[in-house]
Amino acid sequence: FKENINDFFGLCNAGACPFRITVLGSVGAYVEGALRVRDVKSSEIVVEVKGARLAFCGKNLTVSSYCDKDLRISGNIEKILWQK
């Protein structure tokens, strides 16, 4: 299963994933390994991670904390878009 996920996201099977996303239902998410927050709107937060951009889309989104490459997003997350 891990190999399929790595193939889908274009990651090396031998190495560890450079980031991790933990979704807390529809109320928020943690991103470990965030390099930069590119854009913050109440409907979308765009985050750069190694090798990709992630767009968290939803309602009432905020960056509730960002420290040492760990990011917490609060709000009603409806979908996460991935761009390599």
Side-chain angles (χ1 to χ4, degrees):
F1 181 73
K2 178 182 172 190
E3 291 78 17
N4 293 338
I5 297 242
N6 286 343
D7 289 342
F8 178 79
F9 288 117
L11 301 171
C12 176
N13 287 331
C17 185
F19 63 92
R20 179 183 304 181
I21 303 169
T22 304
V23 179
L24 307 170
S26 65
V27 299
Y30 289 107
V31 181
E32 298 173 58
L35 300 177
R36 179 187 293 174
V37 178
R38 296 290 291 181
D39 194 17
V40 177
K41 300 177 194 166
S42 65
S43 61
E44 180 182 66
I45 296 177
V46 179
V47 179
E48 280 188 15
V49 294
K50 187 173 181 178
R53 272 190 193 170
L54 306 171
F56 294 82
C57 306
K59 297 176 185 162
N60 303 316
L61 300 179
T62 61
V63 174
S64 37
S65 67
Y66 185 34
C67 180
D68 194 30
K69 296 186 180 180
D70 292 340
L71 173 74
R72 180 174 178 181
I73 297 172
S74 298
N76 185 5
I77 296 175
E78 297 171 346
K79 62 183 173 181
I80 301 171
L81 304 175
W82 165 278
Q83 181 181 12
K84 191 171 179 182

